[in-house]
Amino acid sequence: ATEELQKVFDDKIAEEIRIEPKDWMPDDYRKTLIRQISQHAHSEIVGMLPEANWITRAPSLRRKATLLAKVQDEAGHGLYLYSAAETMGITREEMVDQLLSGKAKYSSIFNYPTLTWADIGAIGWLVDGAAIMNQVPLCRASYGPYARAMVRICKEESFHQRQGFEILLTLCKGSKEQKEMAQDALNRWWWPSLMMFGPNDDTSPHTAQSMKWKIKRFSNDELRQKFVDVCNEQADILGITIPDDKLVWNEKRQHYDFGEINWNEFFNVIKGNGPCNKERLAARVSAHENGEWVREAALAYARKKAPKSPS
Ligand code: FAQ
């Protein structure tokens, strides 16, 4: 019987028919999606912290209102994604426990500090830019609830990317010091942004299978290359320089060549040893503990409103 179910599943994947929560699916497909969607949700939630650091210090009311809205959008993305993961049979509590105990991964990028206002521009431009590059193809992922969540998320990410670029453009048109601040932010965020796409294809344990299942439509290196190609032109518009002396147009490949990523740094950060890993996790643990009374109150309210069982 399992063979028949497997065949129905394989045919759906081949014919681009979405897999839905109540459909039969192989255990490993479920496991992979729970892993990827929950890590993605955690990234959105932890990803609020570096930018939230600047809400009180945004340089104008307009910037403050925009940043506040952007950070709230990330919370919304985290919540849709937790809901999408829940359709696969894991509970919200289990996922939160995995994050708070340090068991679950979240994107390496959020373990770097936001030192100046220009970092908020660089995050929007590069981090949201990399996120879109990776997430637009996920709108066609084979699992229905994940793919549908991605459609709305990508629309919002696209606004985030533009607001970041516009912050940097304003700084680049400003004083010498402001332009230097933008360059410094690019210097610090460039390489970590390239790491967001994950390890090189030949050292990525999950890519080949995830591509067969049509969860991933492009490999890590393919998406990273597309990102490098578009950023070049945008850096020229800003008039700042990408910190890579190996970056050069390759006429034959019709792509930019670029330097080697520091993979030791990447693996060190995902092991928990990046500049802000401890601080990020401590902030989430403290938020969870401080929110305990809210969860208790919500449960007490739900119990009060529940229809009384007949005695
Ligand atoms: N950081 O075999 P692969 C955002 C792990 S955007 C940490 O290549 P896969 C928006 C990987 O999990 C950021 N860990 O794995 C925002 C695996 O570990 P495991 C989030 C990483 O899954 C913007 C191992 O390395 N976006 O939040 C990273 O096929 C601004 C082997 O890697 C997503 O999550 C990394 N960078 O490909 C929010 C997108 N890279 O589980 C706030 C969805 C790899 O075996 C502000 N996810 N690892 O222990 C994906 O597309 C994929 O999961 C990849 C990794 C491409 C990230």
Side-chain angles (χ1 to χ4, degrees):
T2 310
E3 273 161 35
E4 271 167 41
L5 292 167
Q6 177 77 47
K7 188 176 178 318
V8 173
F9 173 87
D10 291 342
D11 289 349
K12 281 194 183 152
I13 298 285
E15 288 164 30
E16 302 276 339
I17 297 171
R18 291 261 162 82
I19 308 300
E20 296 296 340
K22 289 188 176 145
D23 294 346
W24 184 90
M25 59 188 87
D27 281 347
D28 286 346
Y29 177 83
R30 187 185 299 275
K31 253 171 63 193
T32 288
L33 275 161
I34 290 179
R35 178 184 64 77
Q36 176 164 330
I37 303 173
S38 63
Q39 287 177 359
H40 192 169
H42 299 324
S43 304
E44 302 281 356
I45 298 298
V46 177
M48 296 165 74
L49 297 168
E51 289 175 289
N53 182 36
W54 280 88
I55 290 174
T56 55
R57 288 171 291 162
S60 70
L61 187 58
R62 181 172 84 94
R63 293 292 187 204
K64 187 167 173 150
T66 311
L67 183 57
L68 202 54
K70 184 208 189 277
V71 172
Q72 284 178 344
D73 286 350
E74 309 299 356
H77 299 173
L79 300 183
Y80 309 146
L81 286 165
Y82 282 130
S83 298
E86 281 176 309
T87 66
M88 301 225 104
I90 186 168
T91 66
R92 182 85 54 117
E93 290 72 20
E94 285 173 289
M95 288 185 275
V96 171
D97 274 354
Q98 289 172 355
L99 173 67
L100 301 184
S101 65
K103 216 178 117 205
K105 290 197 172 72
Y106 57 85
S107 183
S108 49
I109 193 74
F110 302 117
N111 294 304
Y112 291 85
T114 40
L115 303 179
T116 73
W117 172 250
D119 289 15
I120 301 305
I123 290 182
W125 174 37
L126 299 173
V127 177
D128 286 279
I132 297 170
M133 199 52 94
N134 163 270
Q135 287 170 22
V136 167
L138 291 175
C139 298
R140 293 190 291 123
S142 55
Y143 187 56
Y146 190 32
R148 288 188 289 273
M150 279 297 127
V151 173
R152 176 148 175 202
I153 292 179
C154 284
K155 286 184 187 165
E156 293 179 349
E157 299 288 23
S158 150
F159 148 72
H160 297 166
Q161 196 270 353
R162 278 149 198 258
Q163 68 83 40
F165 188 79
E166 200 246 349
I167 289 174
L168 287 181
L169 194 60
T170 307
L171 290 173
C172 289
K173 284 196 216 141
S175 66
K176 184 169 158 284
E177 286 78 7
Q178 285 171 318
K179 192 162 180 186
E180 279 169 7
M181 207 197 271
Q183 179 67 57
D184 170 62
L186 172 57
N187 293 349
R188 286 180 292 105
W189 289 93
W190 175 251
W191 291 102
S193 300
L194 296 191
M195 295 173 195
M196 286 177 70
F197 295 94
N200 284 139
D201 294 349
D202 54 3
T203 52
S204 155
H206 303 299
T207 296
Q209 183 60 60
S210 287
M211 287 183 75
K212 279 192 202 136
W213 279 325
K214 298 186 181 167
I215 297 170
K216 284 169 113 167
R217 299 279 177 162
F218 296 96
S219 73
N220 299 356
D221 286 330
E222 285 167 343
L223 291 172
R224 188 167 16 243
Q225 180 70 62
K226 282 177 188 236
F227 180 70
V228 170
D229 291 347
V230 300
C231 285
N232 242 286
E233 202 181 312
Q234 294 168 351
D236 285 347
I237 296 169
L238 293 172
I240 47 181
T241 310
I242 291 176
D244 178 358
D245 53 18
K246 298 216 170 71
L247 189 69
V248 50
W249 178 251
N250 182 325
E251 191 57 39
K252 207 165 121 213
R253 292 201 311 122
Q254 290 289 302
H255 287 295
Y256 282 90
D257 289 337
F258 56 99
E260 181 66 19
I261 289 168
N262 182 346
W263 292 113
N264 282 339
E265 176 180 329
F266 170 76
F267 288 113
N268 203 34
V269 172
I270 64 174
K271 262 194 264 153
N273 304 322
C276 301
N277 294 59
K278 290 189 179 62
E279 189 184 325
R280 299 295 183 236
L281 218 52
R284 289 312 313 155
V285 168
S286 142
H288 190 71
E289 286 169 358
N290 290 331
E292 194 173 350
W293 69 271
V294 180
R295 292 188 297 278
E296 277 173 8
L299 283 173
Y301 183 76
R303 274 195 297 270
K304 228 165 97 182
K305 289 282 165 188
K308 299 241 174 343
S309 53
S311 50

